[in-house]
Amino acid sequence: MNQDFQEQLKLIIGHSLYESETPGAAFAVHINGQPSLETSVGYQDIKREVLLPNDAKFYIYSITKSIIATAALSLVNQGQLELDVPVQPYLPNFSVDTSVTLRQLLSHTSGLVDYGETSTYGDAVKATPSFPWSVEAFLDFAKTQGLRFTPGKGWAYSNIGYLVLRCVLEAVTGLSIQQLLQKVIFKPLSLQETFVPNTLYDVRELTPGYSDFFSENQLQDVTRFYHPGWVAHSVIVSTAPELALMMDALFTGKLLNPLVFEQMLCPVHILGKHPLLNLLGYGMGLFLGIDSPYGTVGGHVGEGPGYSVAAFHFPNLAGSRVTLAALANRERHDFGLQLVFKMVRKLMKIQIKS
């Protein structure tokens, strides 16, 4: 990817940052399985005094679900778990009225509630941002809410569902989620900057992330007081280059048996039309852009206090297989995804001309 193209792309991203009042963004591009671009635009800080490095660390928020799903399916591939067998035996301290399977947890068809939009959760985060609920408290919250629908008979995005999935994986392997992901994904890919934090001390090198969630109409850097434990299923810290590498490795067969991976790409539920992804569906741990001009696009977005991120794979972008990751240090709905598609449009132009 030549220098002229990189500068054009930086100008496009920089304009989006200016319009959205976002300090900075890091992004990475893999083409046909190889890293092609790893760079950044803008600043770490809202005063725009410190440039954002290419390897800036971000919470990747719900993209973590794709990574946890990959780990779960690796255990399926090894015969340690089955997709359509109830997971209840692994959860002696958490029971639901109807059996829930691994497939249902992975695809958000378990019927388990979510906490993200509830005032109970939002008020608790604002009241004690440095002191999150325990795993037991999250599960107790789910018990009091009951199931939204009979497992397998509906679809509803559920962070609690992925917390239950995490509990199953830890019970089966005897490893913490950090140890499991290190074993099956981070170490095989030689990732140096990617990890699952447990404390605020663990994220002391996180790039500043700005949010008005805790103080209306005032942007604050949340990294010193917002505890990663408020993301129930756990949250990964990564960089644009390493996030792109993980997502590309998944789609190019380096992490899962192709037959198992194909099940991730099978849409369990169609969510409807989407302005960027055309017909939006969900498989197992992946959002899917179905019937797009680029083939079946797959990946995930992540949003939460301080950050908006996205990582997606395009199987046929002007004749190439392309994986894109974009991480911005201010939370705005779908902003990371918008940056990904700005790169898509620019890549289409440059590759068509060449």
Side-chain angles (χ1 to χ4, degrees), residues 45-103:
D45 59 313
I46 202 166
K47 293 182 179 179
R48 291 171 169 76
E49 294 176 344
V50 182
L51 291 173
L52 185 73
N54 297 348
D55 61 352
K57 296 181 178 68
F58 295 75
Y59 286 136
I60 67 170
Y61 283 123
S62 280
I63 302 177
T64 301
K65 291 182 176 69
S66 299
I67 309 306
I68 292 175
T70 302
L73 289 169
S74 73
L75 297 181
V76 171
N77 191 49
Q78 295 166 22
Q80 294 187 58
L81 281 171
E82 294 183 49
L83 281 170
D84 298 307
V85 172
V87 298
Q88 187 63 62
Y90 301 108
L91 304 167
N93 298 318
F94 179 73
S95 61
V96 292
D97 292 337
T98 308
S99 294
V100 172
T101 67
L102 186 68
R103 187 188 300 275

Short mmCIF file of all heavy atoms in Angstrom, two decimals, residues 45-103:
data_model
loop_
_atom_site.label_atom_id
_atom_site.label_comp_id
_atom_site.label_asym_id
_atom_site.label_seq_id
_atom_site.Cartn_x
_atom_site.Cartn_y
_atom_site.Cartn_z
N ASP A 45 -5.21 12.53 23.55
CA ASP A 45 -5.88 13.37 24.53
C ASP A 45 -6.82 14.38 23.89
O ASP A 45 -6.64 14.78 22.74
CB ASP A 45 -4.85 14.11 25.39
CG ASP A 45 -3.95 15.00 24.54
OD1 ASP A 45 -3.45 14.52 23.50
OD2 ASP A 45 -3.79 16.16 24.90
N ILE A 46 -7.80 14.81 24.64
CA ILE A 46 -8.81 15.72 24.13
C ILE A 46 -8.25 17.12 23.88
O ILE A 46 -8.81 17.89 23.10
CB ILE A 46 -10.01 15.77 25.10
CG1 ILE A 46 -11.26 16.26 24.38
CG2 ILE A 46 -9.69 16.59 26.34
CD1 ILE A 46 -12.54 16.02 25.14
N LYS A 47 -7.13 17.44 24.51
CA LYS A 47 -6.48 18.73 24.26
C LYS A 47 -5.66 18.71 22.98
O LYS A 47 -5.13 19.75 22.56
CB LYS A 47 -5.58 19.10 25.44
CG LYS A 47 -6.36 19.39 26.73
CD LYS A 47 -5.40 19.79 27.84
CE LYS A 47 -6.15 20.11 29.12
NZ LYS A 47 -5.24 20.49 30.24
N ARG A 48 -5.54 17.53 22.38
CA ARG A 48 -4.81 17.33 21.13
C ARG A 48 -3.34 17.77 21.26
O ARG A 48 -2.82 18.54 20.45
CB ARG A 48 -5.51 18.07 19.98
CG ARG A 48 -6.85 17.42 19.63
CD ARG A 48 -7.67 18.22 18.66
NE ARG A 48 -8.81 17.45 18.17
CZ ARG A 48 -9.92 17.22 18.86
NH1 ARG A 48 -10.04 17.71 20.08
NH2 ARG A 48 -10.91 16.49 18.35
N GLU A 49 -2.70 17.25 22.29
CA GLU A 49 -1.30 17.56 22.54
C GLU A 49 -0.38 16.36 22.33
O GLU A 49 0.79 16.51 21.99
CB GLU A 49 -1.13 18.08 23.98
CG GLU A 49 -1.83 19.40 24.24
CD GLU A 49 -1.75 19.85 25.69
OE1 GLU A 49 -1.42 19.02 26.56
OE2 GLU A 49 -2.01 21.04 25.95
N VAL A 50 -0.92 15.15 22.52
CA VAL A 50 -0.10 13.93 22.41
C VAL A 50 -0.63 13.07 21.26
O VAL A 50 -1.78 12.64 21.28
CB VAL A 50 -0.14 13.12 23.73
CG1 VAL A 50 0.77 11.90 23.61
CG2 VAL A 50 0.27 13.99 24.90
N LEU A 51 0.20 12.82 20.27
CA LEU A 51 -0.22 12.02 19.12
C LEU A 51 -0.57 10.60 19.53
O LEU A 51 0.03 10.03 20.43
CB LEU A 51 0.88 12.00 18.06
CG LEU A 51 1.16 13.32 17.33
CD1 LEU A 51 2.38 13.18 16.43
CD2 LEU A 51 -0.05 13.76 16.51
N LEU A 52 -1.56 10.03 18.86
CA LEU A 52 -1.97 8.65 19.12
C LEU A 52 -1.00 7.70 18.42
O LEU A 52 -0.85 7.77 17.19
CB LEU A 52 -3.40 8.42 18.61
CG LEU A 52 -4.02 7.07 18.92
CD1 LEU A 52 -4.38 6.98 20.40
CD2 LEU A 52 -5.26 6.83 18.07
N PRO A 53 -0.35 6.81 19.14
CA PRO A 53 0.57 5.87 18.47
C PRO A 53 -0.19 4.78 17.71
O PRO A 53 -1.36 4.50 17.99
CB PRO A 53 1.36 5.26 19.65
CG PRO A 53 0.46 5.39 20.82
CD PRO A 53 -0.35 6.65 20.60
N ASN A 54 0.49 4.17 16.76
CA ASN A 54 -0.14 3.11 15.96
C ASN A 54 -0.56 1.91 16.80
O ASN A 54 -1.52 1.22 16.47
CB ASN A 54 0.82 2.62 14.87
CG ASN A 54 1.18 3.71 13.88
OD1 ASN A 54 0.56 4.77 13.86
ND2 ASN A 54 2.19 3.46 13.07
N ASP A 55 0.17 1.67 17.90
CA ASP A 55 -0.12 0.51 18.75
C ASP A 55 -0.84 0.91 20.04
O ASP A 55 -0.70 0.25 21.07
CB ASP A 55 1.17 -0.25 19.08
CG ASP A 55 2.18 0.61 19.84
OD1 ASP A 55 1.95 1.84 19.97
OD2 ASP A 55 3.19 0.05 20.31
N ALA A 56 -1.63 1.97 19.97
CA ALA A 56 -2.40 2.41 21.14
C ALA A 56 -3.33 1.29 21.60
O ALA A 56 -3.92 0.57 20.79
CB ALA A 56 -3.20 3.66 20.80
N LYS A 57 -3.48 1.17 22.93
CA LYS A 57 -4.31 0.10 23.51
C LYS A 57 -5.72 0.62 23.78
O LYS A 57 -5.91 1.70 24.33
CB LYS A 57 -3.69 -0.40 24.81
CG LYS A 57 -2.33 -1.05 24.65
CD LYS A 57 -1.80 -1.53 25.99
CE LYS A 57 -0.46 -2.24 25.86
NZ LYS A 57 0.63 -1.31 25.44
N PHE A 58 -6.70 -0.19 23.38
CA PHE A 58 -8.12 0.14 23.54
C PHE A 58 -8.86 -1.04 24.17
O PHE A 58 -8.48 -2.19 23.96
CB PHE A 58 -8.79 0.39 22.18
CG PHE A 58 -8.30 1.59 21.42
CD1 PHE A 58 -7.06 1.57 20.78
CD2 PHE A 58 -9.08 2.73 21.31
CE1 PHE A 58 -6.62 2.67 20.04
CE2 PHE A 58 -8.65 3.83 20.58
CZ PHE A 58 -7.42 3.80 19.95
N TYR A 59 -9.94 -0.77 24.88
CA TYR A 59 -10.93 -1.81 25.12
C TYR A 59 -11.59 -2.12 23.78
O TYR A 59 -12.01 -1.21 23.07
CB TYR A 59 -12.03 -1.34 26.07
CG TYR A 59 -11.66 -1.23 27.53
CD1 TYR A 59 -12.06 -0.12 28.28
CD2 TYR A 59 -10.95 -2.24 28.19
CE1 TYR A 59 -11.76 -0.02 29.63
CE2 TYR A 59 -10.64 -2.13 29.53
CZ TYR A 59 -11.04 -1.02 30.25
OH TYR A 59 -10.75 -0.93 31.58
N ILE A 60 -11.72 -3.40 23.46
CA ILE A 60 -12.44 -3.74 22.22
C ILE A 60 -13.90 -4.10 22.51
O ILE A 60 -14.64 -4.50 21.61
CB ILE A 60 -11.73 -4.85 21.43
CG1 ILE A 60 -11.77 -6.19 22.18
CG2 ILE A 60 -10.29 -4.45 21.09
CD1 ILE A 60 -11.31 -7.38 21.33
N TYR A 61 -14.30 -3.95 23.76
CA TYR A 61 -15.69 -4.15 24.17
C TYR A 61 -16.30 -5.41 23.54
O TYR A 61 -15.73 -6.48 23.66
CB TYR A 61 -16.50 -2.88 23.93
CG TYR A 61 -16.22 -1.83 24.99
CD1 TYR A 61 -15.76 -0.55 24.68
CD2 TYR A 61 -16.39 -2.13 26.35
CE1 TYR A 61 -15.49 0.39 25.68
CE2 TYR A 61 -16.12 -1.19 27.34
CZ TYR A 61 -15.67 0.06 27.00
OH TYR A 61 -15.40 0.99 27.99
N SER A 62 -17.43 -5.31 22.84
CA SER A 62 -18.14 -6.53 22.45
C SER A 62 -17.49 -7.32 21.33
O SER A 62 -17.96 -8.43 21.01
CB SER A 62 -19.60 -6.21 22.10
OG SER A 62 -20.36 -6.08 23.27
N ILE A 63 -16.42 -6.81 20.73
CA ILE A 63 -15.66 -7.68 19.82
C ILE A 63 -15.09 -8.85 20.61
O ILE A 63 -14.80 -9.92 20.05
CB ILE A 63 -14.56 -6.90 19.08
CG1 ILE A 63 -15.15 -5.73 18.30
CG2 ILE A 63 -13.80 -7.81 18.11
CD1 ILE A 63 -14.12 -4.86 17.61
N THR A 64 -14.98 -8.66 21.93
CA THR A 64 -14.58 -9.75 22.82
C THR A 64 -15.47 -10.97 22.62
O THR A 64 -15.01 -12.12 22.74
CB THR A 64 -14.64 -9.28 24.29
OG1 THR A 64 -13.76 -8.16 24.47
CG2 THR A 64 -14.23 -10.40 25.25
N LYS A 65 -16.74 -10.76 22.30
CA LYS A 65 -17.65 -11.89 22.08
C LYS A 65 -17.17 -12.78 20.94
O LYS A 65 -17.27 -14.01 21.02
CB LYS A 65 -19.07 -11.39 21.80
CG LYS A 65 -19.76 -10.75 23.00
CD LYS A 65 -21.18 -10.33 22.65
CE LYS A 65 -21.91 -9.77 23.87
NZ LYS A 65 -21.38 -8.48 24.31
N SER A 66 -16.67 -12.18 19.87
CA SER A 66 -16.16 -12.98 18.75
C SER A 66 -14.98 -13.85 19.18
O SER A 66 -14.83 -14.99 18.72
CB SER A 66 -15.75 -12.07 17.59
OG SER A 66 -16.84 -11.33 17.10
N ILE A 67 -14.15 -13.30 20.06
CA ILE A 67 -12.96 -14.03 20.51
C ILE A 67 -13.36 -15.15 21.47
O ILE A 67 -12.84 -16.27 21.40
CB ILE A 67 -11.96 -13.07 21.17
CG1 ILE A 67 -11.70 -11.85 20.25
CG2 ILE A 67 -10.66 -13.79 21.48
CD1 ILE A 67 -11.27 -12.20 18.85
N ILE A 68 -14.30 -14.86 22.39
CA ILE A 68 -14.80 -15.91 23.28
C ILE A 68 -15.49 -17.01 22.49
O ILE A 68 -15.32 -18.20 22.77
CB ILE A 68 -15.75 -15.30 24.33
CG1 ILE A 68 -14.97 -14.39 25.29
CG2 ILE A 68 -16.47 -16.40 25.11
CD1 ILE A 68 -15.84 -13.65 26.29
N ALA A 69 -16.26 -16.62 21.48
CA ALA A 69 -16.94 -17.61 20.64
C ALA A 69 -15.92 -18.50 19.93
O ALA A 69 -16.12 -19.72 19.80
CB ALA A 69 -17.84 -16.90 19.62
N THR A 70 -14.84 -17.91 19.47
CA THR A 70 -13.78 -18.68 18.81
C THR A 70 -13.19 -19.71 19.77
O THR A 70 -12.96 -20.87 19.40
CB THR A 70 -12.68 -17.74 18.29
OG1 THR A 70 -13.26 -16.80 17.38
CG2 THR A 70 -11.58 -18.52 17.58
N ALA A 71 -12.95 -19.28 21.01
CA ALA A 71 -12.41 -20.21 22.01
C ALA A 71 -13.40 -21.33 22.28
O ALA A 71 -13.00 -22.51 22.40
CB ALA A 71 -12.09 -19.44 23.30
N ALA A 72 -14.69 -21.00 22.39
CA ALA A 72 -15.71 -22.02 22.64
C ALA A 72 -15.73 -23.04 21.51
O ALA A 72 -15.81 -24.26 21.75
CB ALA A 72 -17.07 -21.36 22.79
N LEU A 73 -15.66 -22.57 20.28
CA LEU A 73 -15.74 -23.48 19.14
C LEU A 73 -14.46 -24.31 18.99
O LEU A 73 -14.48 -25.41 18.43
CB LEU A 73 -16.04 -22.70 17.87
CG LEU A 73 -17.48 -22.17 17.82
CD1 LEU A 73 -17.67 -21.18 16.69
CD2 LEU A 73 -18.48 -23.31 17.70
N SER A 74 -13.35 -23.79 19.50
CA SER A 74 -12.13 -24.60 19.50
C SER A 74 -12.30 -25.80 20.44
O SER A 74 -11.79 -26.89 20.16
CB SER A 74 -10.92 -23.77 19.90
OG SER A 74 -10.92 -23.47 21.29
N LEU A 75 -13.05 -25.61 21.54
CA LEU A 75 -13.33 -26.72 22.44
C LEU A 75 -14.32 -27.70 21.81
O LEU A 75 -14.23 -28.91 22.04
CB LEU A 75 -13.87 -26.20 23.77
CG LEU A 75 -12.93 -25.32 24.60
CD1 LEU A 75 -13.60 -24.90 25.90
CD2 LEU A 75 -11.60 -26.01 24.87
N VAL A 76 -15.25 -27.18 21.03
CA VAL A 76 -16.14 -28.05 20.26
C VAL A 76 -15.33 -28.89 19.29
O VAL A 76 -15.53 -30.11 19.16
CB VAL A 76 -17.21 -27.23 19.51
CG1 VAL A 76 -18.01 -28.10 18.55
CG2 VAL A 76 -18.15 -26.54 20.50
N ASN A 77 -14.40 -28.25 18.60
CA ASN A 77 -13.55 -28.94 17.64
C ASN A 77 -12.73 -30.06 18.29
O ASN A 77 -12.48 -31.10 17.69
CB ASN A 77 -12.62 -27.93 16.96
CG ASN A 77 -11.89 -28.50 15.77
OD1 ASN A 77 -12.48 -29.12 14.90
ND2 ASN A 77 -10.58 -28.31 15.73
N GLN A 78 -12.34 -29.83 19.58
CA GLN A 78 -11.55 -30.83 20.31
C GLN A 78 -12.41 -31.88 21.00
O GLN A 78 -11.88 -32.80 21.63
CB GLN A 78 -10.69 -30.11 21.36
CG GLN A 78 -9.65 -29.17 20.78
CD GLN A 78 -9.08 -28.23 21.83
OE1 GLN A 78 -9.13 -28.51 23.03
NE2 GLN A 78 -8.54 -27.10 21.40
N GLY A 79 -13.74 -31.74 20.89
CA GLY A 79 -14.63 -32.70 21.51
C GLY A 79 -14.90 -32.48 22.98
O GLY A 79 -15.49 -33.34 23.65
N GLN A 80 -14.47 -31.33 23.53
CA GLN A 80 -14.70 -31.05 24.95
C GLN A 80 -16.08 -30.47 25.21
O GLN A 80 -16.56 -30.50 26.35
CB GLN A 80 -13.64 -30.07 25.48
CG GLN A 80 -12.23 -30.64 25.47
CD GLN A 80 -11.25 -29.71 26.16
OE1 GLN A 80 -11.40 -29.37 27.33
NE2 GLN A 80 -10.23 -29.27 25.42
N LEU A 81 -16.72 -29.91 24.20
CA LEU A 81 -18.07 -29.37 24.30
C LEU A 81 -18.87 -29.76 23.07
O LEU A 81 -18.29 -30.03 22.01
CB LEU A 81 -18.02 -27.83 24.41
CG LEU A 81 -17.68 -27.22 25.78
CD1 LEU A 81 -17.48 -25.72 25.63
CD2 LEU A 81 -18.75 -27.53 26.81
N GLU A 82 -20.20 -29.76 23.21
CA GLU A 82 -21.09 -30.00 22.08
C GLU A 82 -22.05 -28.83 21.94
O GLU A 82 -22.53 -28.27 22.94
CB GLU A 82 -21.87 -31.30 22.28
CG GLU A 82 -21.00 -32.54 22.26
CD GLU A 82 -21.82 -33.81 22.39
OE1 GLU A 82 -22.82 -33.95 21.66
OE2 GLU A 82 -21.47 -34.65 23.24
N LEU A 83 -22.34 -28.47 20.71
CA LEU A 83 -23.15 -27.27 20.46
C LEU A 83 -24.59 -27.41 20.94
O LEU A 83 -25.18 -26.43 21.39
CB LEU A 83 -23.13 -26.94 18.96
CG LEU A 83 -21.89 -26.23 18.44
CD1 LEU A 83 -21.91 -26.17 16.92
CD2 LEU A 83 -21.79 -24.82 19.02
N ASP A 84 -25.14 -28.58 20.84
CA ASP A 84 -26.58 -28.72 21.09
C ASP A 84 -26.92 -29.55 22.33
O ASP A 84 -28.00 -30.10 22.44
CB ASP A 84 -27.25 -29.30 19.84
CG ASP A 84 -27.09 -28.38 18.64
OD1 ASP A 84 -27.44 -27.19 18.77
OD2 ASP A 84 -26.58 -28.82 17.60
N VAL A 85 -25.99 -29.57 23.26
CA VAL A 85 -26.21 -30.25 24.54
C VAL A 85 -26.38 -29.19 25.62
O VAL A 85 -25.64 -28.20 25.65
CB VAL A 85 -25.01 -31.17 24.88
CG1 VAL A 85 -25.13 -31.72 26.29
CG2 VAL A 85 -24.93 -32.31 23.87
N PRO A 86 -27.34 -29.33 26.54
CA PRO A 86 -27.54 -28.34 27.60
C PRO A 86 -26.27 -28.10 28.41
O PRO A 86 -25.52 -29.04 28.72
CB PRO A 86 -28.64 -28.96 28.47
CG PRO A 86 -29.42 -29.81 27.52
CD PRO A 86 -28.39 -30.38 26.58
N VAL A 87 -26.01 -26.84 28.76
CA VAL A 87 -24.81 -26.48 29.51
C VAL A 87 -25.05 -26.50 31.02
O VAL A 87 -24.11 -26.28 31.79
CB VAL A 87 -24.29 -25.08 29.08
CG1 VAL A 87 -23.92 -25.08 27.62
CG2 VAL A 87 -25.33 -24.00 29.39
N GLN A 88 -26.27 -26.76 31.46
CA GLN A 88 -26.61 -26.69 32.87
C GLN A 88 -25.68 -27.51 33.78
O GLN A 88 -25.34 -27.04 34.88
CB GLN A 88 -28.06 -27.14 33.08
CG GLN A 88 -28.56 -26.94 34.52
CD GLN A 88 -28.58 -25.48 34.93
OE1 GLN A 88 -29.29 -24.69 34.33
NE2 GLN A 88 -27.78 -25.12 35.92
N PRO A 89 -25.23 -28.69 33.39
CA PRO A 89 -24.33 -29.45 34.28
C PRO A 89 -23.06 -28.70 34.67
O PRO A 89 -22.45 -29.03 35.70
CB PRO A 89 -24.01 -30.70 33.45
CG PRO A 89 -25.19 -30.89 32.57
CD PRO A 89 -25.61 -29.49 32.21
N TYR A 90 -22.64 -27.73 33.86
CA TYR A 90 -21.43 -26.98 34.17
C TYR A 90 -21.72 -25.78 35.07
O TYR A 90 -20.79 -25.05 35.44
CB TYR A 90 -20.77 -26.49 32.88
CG TYR A 90 -20.40 -27.59 31.93
CD1 TYR A 90 -21.10 -27.79 30.74
CD2 TYR A 90 -19.35 -28.46 32.22
CE1 TYR A 90 -20.77 -28.81 29.87
CE2 TYR A 90 -19.01 -29.49 31.36
CZ TYR A 90 -19.72 -29.66 30.19
OH TYR A 90 -19.39 -30.68 29.32
N LEU A 91 -22.98 -25.56 35.42
CA LEU A 91 -23.39 -24.34 36.13
C LEU A 91 -24.20 -24.70 37.38
O LEU A 91 -25.39 -24.40 37.47
CB LEU A 91 -24.22 -23.45 35.21
CG LEU A 91 -23.57 -23.04 33.89
CD1 LEU A 91 -24.60 -22.45 32.95
CD2 LEU A 91 -22.45 -22.04 34.15
N PRO A 92 -23.57 -25.30 38.37
CA PRO A 92 -24.33 -25.74 39.55
C PRO A 92 -24.95 -24.58 40.34
O PRO A 92 -25.95 -24.79 41.04
CB PRO A 92 -23.27 -26.46 40.39
CG PRO A 92 -21.96 -25.91 39.93
CD PRO A 92 -22.14 -25.63 38.47
N ASN A 93 -24.37 -23.39 40.21
CA ASN A 93 -24.89 -22.25 40.98
C ASN A 93 -25.76 -21.31 40.17
O ASN A 93 -26.12 -20.23 40.63
CB ASN A 93 -23.71 -21.46 41.58
CG ASN A 93 -22.89 -22.31 42.53
OD1 ASN A 93 -23.44 -23.06 43.33
ND2 ASN A 93 -21.58 -22.20 42.44
N PHE A 94 -26.09 -21.73 38.95
CA PHE A 94 -26.95 -20.88 38.11
C PHE A 94 -27.88 -21.79 37.31
O PHE A 94 -27.43 -22.57 36.49
CB PHE A 94 -26.13 -20.02 37.15
CG PHE A 94 -26.96 -19.16 36.26
CD1 PHE A 94 -27.62 -18.04 36.76
CD2 PHE A 94 -27.11 -19.46 34.91
CE1 PHE A 94 -28.40 -17.24 35.93
CE2 PHE A 94 -27.89 -18.66 34.07
CZ PHE A 94 -28.53 -17.55 34.59
N SER A 95 -29.16 -21.69 37.59
CA SER A 95 -30.11 -22.54 36.90
C SER A 95 -31.20 -21.71 36.25
O SER A 95 -31.56 -20.63 36.75
CB SER A 95 -30.74 -23.54 37.87
OG SER A 95 -31.44 -22.86 38.90
N VAL A 96 -31.69 -22.18 35.12
CA VAL A 96 -32.83 -21.57 34.45
C VAL A 96 -33.88 -22.65 34.26
O VAL A 96 -33.60 -23.85 34.33
CB VAL A 96 -32.43 -20.96 33.09
CG1 VAL A 96 -31.52 -19.76 33.29
CG2 VAL A 96 -31.76 -21.99 32.20
N ASP A 97 -35.11 -22.22 34.03
CA ASP A 97 -36.23 -23.17 33.98
C ASP A 97 -36.16 -24.12 32.80
O ASP A 97 -36.68 -25.24 32.86
CB ASP A 97 -37.55 -22.40 33.95
CG ASP A 97 -37.81 -21.67 35.25
OD1 ASP A 97 -37.26 -22.08 36.27
OD2 ASP A 97 -38.55 -20.67 35.23
N THR A 98 -35.54 -23.68 31.73
CA THR A 98 -35.48 -24.48 30.51
C THR A 98 -34.02 -24.66 30.11
O THR A 98 -33.20 -23.75 30.29
CB THR A 98 -36.25 -23.79 29.37
OG1 THR A 98 -37.56 -23.47 29.82
CG2 THR A 98 -36.35 -24.68 28.15
N SER A 99 -33.69 -25.80 29.56
CA SER A 99 -32.30 -26.07 29.18
C SER A 99 -31.81 -25.09 28.12
O SER A 99 -32.51 -24.80 27.15
CB SER A 99 -32.18 -27.51 28.66
OG SER A 99 -32.44 -28.43 29.69
N VAL A 100 -30.60 -24.60 28.31
CA VAL A 100 -29.94 -23.71 27.37
C VAL A 100 -28.72 -24.42 26.81
O VAL A 100 -27.97 -25.04 27.57
CB VAL A 100 -29.53 -22.39 28.05
CG1 VAL A 100 -28.67 -21.53 27.11
CG2 VAL A 100 -30.75 -21.61 28.50
N THR A 101 -28.50 -24.34 25.51
CA THR A 101 -27.36 -25.01 24.88
C THR A 101 -26.26 -24.02 24.54
O THR A 101 -26.45 -22.80 24.55
CB THR A 101 -27.79 -25.72 23.58
OG1 THR A 101 -28.17 -24.71 22.61
CG2 THR A 101 -28.95 -26.66 23.82
N LEU A 102 -25.10 -24.57 24.23
CA LEU A 102 -23.96 -23.75 23.83
C LEU A 102 -24.29 -22.94 22.57
O LEU A 102 -23.98 -21.76 22.48
CB LEU A 102 -22.75 -24.64 23.57
CG LEU A 102 -21.43 -23.94 23.26
CD1 LEU A 102 -20.91 -23.20 24.48
CD2 LEU A 102 -20.39 -24.96 22.78
N ARG A 103 -24.94 -23.57 21.60
CA ARG A 103 -25.29 -22.88 20.37
C ARG A 103 -26.18 -21.66 20.68
O ARG A 103 -26.01 -20.58 20.09
CB ARG A 103 -26.01 -23.82 19.42
CG ARG A 103 -26.27 -23.20 18.03
CD ARG A 103 -27.17 -24.09 17.18
NE ARG A 103 -26.60 -25.40 16.94
CZ ARG A 103 -25.74 -25.68 15.96
NH1 ARG A 103 -25.36 -24.71 15.12
NH2 ARG A 103 -25.29 -26.90 15.79
#
